[in-house]
Amino acid sequence: MPLEIVRNDITKMQVDAIVNAANCSLLGGGGVDGAIHRAAGPELLAECRTLGGCGTGDAKITKGYRLPARHVIHTVGPVWNGGVHGEKELLTSCYRSSLELAAENDCESVAFPLISAGIYGYPRAEAIRVAVDTISSFLAEHDMTVYLVIFDKDSFVIGSKLFRDISQYIDDNYAAEHDDSTARSRRLELPRMFSAAAAPIRSVKQKVAADMYRAAQEDTCADEDTDELLCAVAANSLEEALGQLDESFSQMLLRKIDEKGMTDAQCYKKANIDRKLFSKIRGDIHYRPSKPTVLAFAIALELPLNEAKDMLMKAGYALSHSSKSDIIVEYFIQRGNYNIFEINEALFAFDQNLLGA
Ligand code: APR
């Protein structure tokens, strides 16, 4: 996954470079600056002394010394001053210049803290927006793995209105685990194609299903009869469904990429999937991806909900209302927001796994 949001202490990250939210002197400080200097040891400060400071929005690189990371990239974020003094442009420049410096030094993996979101007072939701937008646009043109490292839970916030909207959507849709109303609705919620109200009966299977639907509505059969009928119909509809599985996930993915007029690279980058994984999927028509990977491609292809469900089914999955993660993804699809990075921010804010590999 080219852009991951993780909860960790950046000094522990096993990456080619970690980024330090420094001050212009580069001679250490509090916050993440202090933590990095403590973990790297005195040699880091000795090298920093030779750099002659750093301008706001610029970046300079040193070795990592006792850190697991090979390098430290020091950048100086803007102090928040109401947002009308070019703070956003300067913060954007911090991420971009750090990424460019990492690429110049052949770094394949980089970890960022939330620059300026601590002592420098940048509002956290906006700081995250700038970080994710700048990193994701860099990754559209470069192959690199970037981690946005969140040190403490409350430093990761998404817009409060969005958070409330999603919370409400989860409340409205989150299926209770095992209550009898669910069991009862199982009997009544037949697959749409079997509903008695649907198109004229076209096969015996649908005739049986329609009888069962009516009986279940009148609730005249005993549970075991209904379940038996359900199993009979399910077995037949499963046979029918299996008969329709003529296209694998991989084949549907490649077909959809062509139909959308996208290149492979545009699709997997928009899905926040790395090139290596895409090559595996492309090379094996029976490849079994993970559910987050399938959803990531459904988002990248901007599939409507029914087609996203179809793509999931071809990989052996289904959207479930007993999964908060699925409900959050459904929330964004229903609203036509296919920005996978915004979806991942929301998933992270709700402690759910992210979309992508
Ligand atoms: N790992 C990851 N993130 C961390 C860590 C850590 N070990 N420690 C702190 N953070 C997070 C904070 O929670 C915050 O979200 O880093 C983010 C940036 O906070 P600061 O370190 O305060 O950096 P910043 O807001 O950019 O202020 C920079 O603070 O430390 C001084 O010398 C530094 O003067 C400079 C100023």
Side-chain angles (χ1 to χ4, degrees), residues 8-11 21-23 28-33 35 113-121 149 151-152 155:
N8 204 342
D9 173 347
I10 202 165
T11 63
N23 58 55
V32 71
D33 194 4
L114 217 41
I115 299 166
S116 284
I119 296 165
Y120 279 3
V149 182
F151 188 54
D152 38 39
S155 66

Side-chain angles (χ1 to χ4, degrees), residues 30-328:
V32 71
D33 194 4
I36 289 174
H37 275 273
R38 282 192 297 278
E43 301 91 337
L44 178 61
L45 181 57
E47 185 176 357
C48 283
R49 288 188 196 286
T50 66
L51 298 178
C54 180
T56 302
D58 294 342
K60 292 194 176 177
I61 193 166
T62 65
K63 295 189 192 73
Y65 299 104
R66 300 176 195 173
L67 288 161
R70 187 156 50 92
H71 291 291
V72 179
I73 292 174
H74 307 265
T75 190
V76 181
V79 176
W80 180 256
N81 190 9
V84 290
H85 298 85
E87 292 95 323
K88 180 177 177 184
E89 292 68 26
L90 285 167
L91 187 58
T92 300
S93 172
C94 286
Y95 286 99
R96 180 154 282 278
S97 47
S98 299
L99 287 163
E100 284 162 358
L101 197 51
E104 286 159 21
N105 287 272
D106 303 321
C107 297
E108 292 181 357
S109 53
V110 181
F112 282 94
L114 217 41
I115 299 166
S116 284
I119 296 165
Y120 279 3
Y122 209 107
R124 288 171 180 164
E126 286 84 340
I128 290 164
R129 182 81 284 114
V130 170
V132 172
D133 288 352
T134 311
I135 294 168
S136 54
S137 63
F138 178 86
L139 290 174
E141 311 296 329
H142 301 78
D143 279 345
M144 191 184 275
T145 300
V146 181
Y147 298 90
L148 188 57
V149 182
I150 306 302
F151 188 54
D152 38 39
K153 171 83 182 111
D154 65 5
S155 66
F156 192 90
V157 288
I158 57 175
S160 51
K161 182 182 178 317
L162 176 60
F163 192 89
R164 275 198 314 275
D165 273 1
I166 294 174
S167 302
Q168 185 58 56
Y169 193 79
I170 290 173
D171 289 347
D172 295 346
N173 290 283
Y174 189 51
E177 283 309 302
H178 296 290
D179 65 14
D180 55 5
S181 63
T182 309
R184 178 168 166 67
S185 65
R186 178 174 64 80
R187 275 210 304 280
L188 296 179
E189 264 174 27
L190 289 173
R192 190 171 35 78
M193 63 180 163
F194 291 145
S195 154
I201 302 294
R202 283 186 297 280
S203 79
V204 172
K205 283 191 282 291
Q206 287 176 333
K207 170 95 179 62
V208 168
D211 292 347
M212 184 188 71
Y213 183 79
R214 267 191 293 278
Q217 277 191 313
E218 288 141 26
D219 209 12
T220 53
C221 359
D223 275 357
E224 52 277 12
D225 296 349
T226 310
D227 286 347
E228 205 175 294
L229 274 168
L230 263 180
C231 294
V233 171
N236 284 305
S237 59
L238 179 61
E239 174 201 316
E240 251 182 18
L242 287 175
Q244 289 158 19
L245 279 185
D246 51 356
E247 186 185 44
S248 73
F249 159 76
S250 174
Q251 288 168 322
M252 179 178 178
L253 172 64
L254 299 178
R255 173 171 61 85
K256 282 291 176 188
I257 290 174
D258 292 343
E259 285 173 9
K260 298 279 181 180
M262 294 171 87
T263 65
D264 291 352
Q266 282 170 335
C267 183
Y268 66 73
K269 285 191 173 291
K270 205 173 161 215
N272 196 27
I273 295 280
D274 65 34
R275 180 168 36 83
K276 289 192 278 307
L277 175 57
F278 182 81
S279 305
K280 269 192 225 163
I281 293 172
R282 179 171 194 100
D284 172 5
I285 66 162
H286 298 301
Y287 187 85
R288 282 292 310 271
S290 70
K291 187 171 181 180
T293 297
V294 176
L295 282 171
F297 281 116
I299 294 296
L301 293 163
E302 302 194 3
L303 299 185
L305 195 55
N306 63 321
E307 288 188 45
K309 289 178 178 175
D310 188 23
M311 182 172 264
L312 277 166
M313 189 186 75
K314 292 187 186 307
Y317 302 110
L319 274 185
S320 159
H321 275 184
S322 59
S323 154
K324 283 189 183 176
S325 173
D326 287 6
I327 292 174
I328 292 169

